[in-house]
Amino acid sequence: AQKRLLERPQAELVRILNQLGVSAELSSDSLNIKSEGWKKSEKVICKGDESSQFISGLLLSSCKLDFDLNIQIKKPLTSYDYLRMTIA
């Protein structure tokens, strides 16, 4: 299962985590994450054209933060309906 997960595009996940102060590095056979919690960021910029899964995950993971998280989604947005279900 892990191998299949790494076959999918993960660069956007790494980029999002890095914006939140999380150290994330992707190699051909692993995704290494080191974190002491999310750091407050002015805004997190997400690409909307690869997958809405990372944006949905970010939304679900941020609901209990002690700070507001401003998420900017770059268009075009794929899987808009799935993102709407996450927000609803």
Side-chain angles (χ1 to χ4, degrees), residues 4-13 26 50-51 54:
R4 177 74 177 120
L5 178 65
L6 292 173
E7 290 174 358
R8 304 180 87 191
Q10 300 295 323
E12 181 64 2
L13 174 61
L26 181 63
E50 289 184 13
S51 172
F54 296 130

Side-chain angles (χ1 to χ4, degrees), residues 52-70:
S52 65
Q53 290 178 342
F54 296 130
I55 300 167
S56 291
L58 182 62
L59 287 168
L60 293 170
S61 299
S62 66
C63 65
K64 296 282 187 175
L65 291 175
D66 59 356
F67 57 87
D68 291 336
L69 186 63
N70 181 0

Side-chain angles (χ1 to χ4, degrees), residues 27-39:
S27 69
S28 62
D29 63 346
S30 66
L31 174 60
N32 300 305
I33 298 173
K34 184 176 181 180
S35 176
E36 295 179 10
W38 289 4
K39 307 296 185 230

